Amino acid sequence: MDDAPSHRPLHGIRVLDLSTLGPGPFCSMLLADFGADVLHVERPSVAPFDPAAHLSRGKRSAVVDLRSPRGAEVIARLADRADVLLESNRPGTMERRGLGPDVLCERNPRLIYARLTGWGQDGPYADRAGHDINYLAISGALGVIGEDRPVPPLAMLGDLAAGSVLTAFGIVTALLERASTGRGQVLDAAIADGAALLSSAWLAELNAGMWAGRGRHLLSGVAPFYGVYACSDGRWFAVGAIEEKFYAQFLDVLGLADVDRSTQLNPKTWPALRARVAGAFATHPRAHWESVFAGVDGCGTPVLDLDELPDDPHLAARGTVVRDGDRIWAAPAPRLSRTPASAGSPAVRGADTAGALADAGYTETEIAALLADGTVA
């Protein structure tokens, strides 16, 4: 990992991250990768497994008790010099602490106040509890994934793609607008909104009368030329030979040259062909199919386990996934030619508390008092 200062695109942007769990910390990690100075404010209590601790690269860490009598004022003073504040509480929580956008944006009119939640700041569901699966279910995204029943795609599609990535995009666009107006604004980022947006292609098919439905769509895994198959060693292999020229090579590699290629897009032929393809893959281990498909444009790739990623030739050559001692981590993305991102070291919990307070104007005596009464740690 590279901790050296650089002129990355977000260099000089100060982010005050009050979020917890996964979506908020992943969002601020993206900003840190591209040069933002991220101060992650952590709670005094420590969870058995804290996702934020594993998404802390390139950040600083301060421990502040927001529920203490003086905790809110500490946050307000930190926000006075921030460009971005990121929070992920239920609607109304920050207002009850006296830290809502009406207060902090009046104190700091240039502040981008980013609110990342599941349901958003308003609407009938705004105050409900929920998780990734619920936001995907309501947005329509979950209903299009799977075959016989909807299949939750872990938390990648909802929390991270619809939540973290789109929030980071919103923050950057707000910063870009502020460059011309000098004014900050409030960002209402809802994972349900983002997941609905990511469903745009399937909504377009629905509008055109072309939506086949879950488990019948060409990209759902039901088509014999677009899916995953078990190999003889129990490992899996993925194929995506949609175009005619790729489909032809896919069939040839599997020894299915007798298949009528003119029926490729006829769903009635899929079950029988899928069974034949599955039978072919089951005759050899995954390594065999990796070798065979490496020499043709049949759109075939192994389904890698997480611990295999650093050893894949392509990922290794690009440094996409790196093994660092007993840790495996993914490199920043996307890649810029002139001002690339870089991954900093993981934050050390509370290591930057005193420094952050000093930057906010607290004296050594005041910092000592805050440490003594447990407001900060």
Side-chain angles (χ1 to χ4, degrees), residues 107-129:
R107 293 174 58 133
N108 179 4
R110 291 176 55 82
L111 182 66
I112 309 298
Y113 196 114
R115 322 192 79 169
L116 171 52
T117 61
W119 303 114
Q121 296 300 306
D122 53 29
Y125 304 158
D127 293 326
R128 289 187 184 181

Side-chain angles (χ1 to χ4, degrees), residues 63-324:
V63 176
V64 180
D65 185 356
L66 272 69
R67 297 180 179 179
S68 69
R70 303 171 67 186
E73 177 56 29
V74 170
I75 296 301
R77 288 183 62 171
L78 291 172
D80 285 344
R81 63 190 300 275
D83 296 287
V84 177
L85 181 145
L86 174 63
E87 62 100 356
S88 59
N89 297 289
R90 287 203 203 189
T93 302
M94 294 294 284
E95 283 80 357
R96 288 191 295 273
R97 293 173 175 165
L99 297 172
D102 54 335
V103 173
L104 297 189
C105 292
E106 182 176 353
R107 293 174 58 133
N108 179 4
R110 291 176 55 82
L111 182 66
I112 309 298
Y113 196 114
R115 322 192 79 169
L116 171 52
T117 61
W119 303 114
Q121 296 300 306
D122 53 29
Y125 304 158
D127 293 326
R128 289 187 184 181
H131 282 294
D132 182 281
I133 192 171
N134 307 117
Y135 314 136
L136 293 183
I138 289 296
S139 71
L142 182 60
V144 302
I145 302 173
E147 295 184 28
D148 59 329
R149 64 176 180 174
V151 177
L154 296 181
M156 288 186 287
L157 180 58
D159 284 356
L160 303 187
S164 309
V165 175
L166 287 179
T167 301
F169 173 72
I171 288 171
V172 171
T173 57
L175 288 169
L176 183 62
E177 191 276 342
R178 192 189 69 174
S180 60
T181 65
R183 299 171 57 195
Q185 57 184 304
V186 180
L187 172 62
D188 178 2
I191 296 173
D193 292 350
L197 177 63
L198 295 177
S199 302
S200 293
W202 322 129
L203 290 172
E205 290 191 8
L206 178 68
N207 295 335
M210 298 172 58
W211 173 243
R214 182 183 65 252
R216 297 190 297 275
H217 192 278
L218 184 148
L219 302 181
S220 70
V222 68
F225 50 85
Y226 196 95
V228 294
Y229 294 95
C231 304
S232 64
D233 56 359
R235 295 188 171 188
W236 296 87
F237 202 83
V239 292
I242 299 175
E243 291 81 0
E244 183 178 346
K245 59 182 179 180
F246 302 146
Y247 181 62
Q249 296 188 59
F250 159 71
L251 293 175
D252 288 344
V253 165
L254 293 176
L256 302 176
D258 62 308
V259 172
D260 182 358
R261 297 172 187 180
S262 68
T263 65
Q264 178 187 358
L265 300 180
N266 181 357
K268 294 181 180 179
T269 69
W270 290 354
L273 179 55
R274 194 179 189 188
R276 291 190 65 188
V277 172
F281 272 107
T283 60
H284 295 287
R286 193 187 73 180
H288 168 82
W289 296 115
E290 289 182 56
S291 175
V292 170
F293 274 88
V296 300
D297 277 337
C299 301
T301 48
V303 179
L304 299 179
D305 292 329
L306 292 176
D307 59 0
E308 296 181 284
L309 301 182
D311 303 318
D312 177 78
H314 182 78
L315 300 183
R318 289 178 57 82
T320 300
V321 180
V322 177
R323 193 186 306 277
D324 181 15

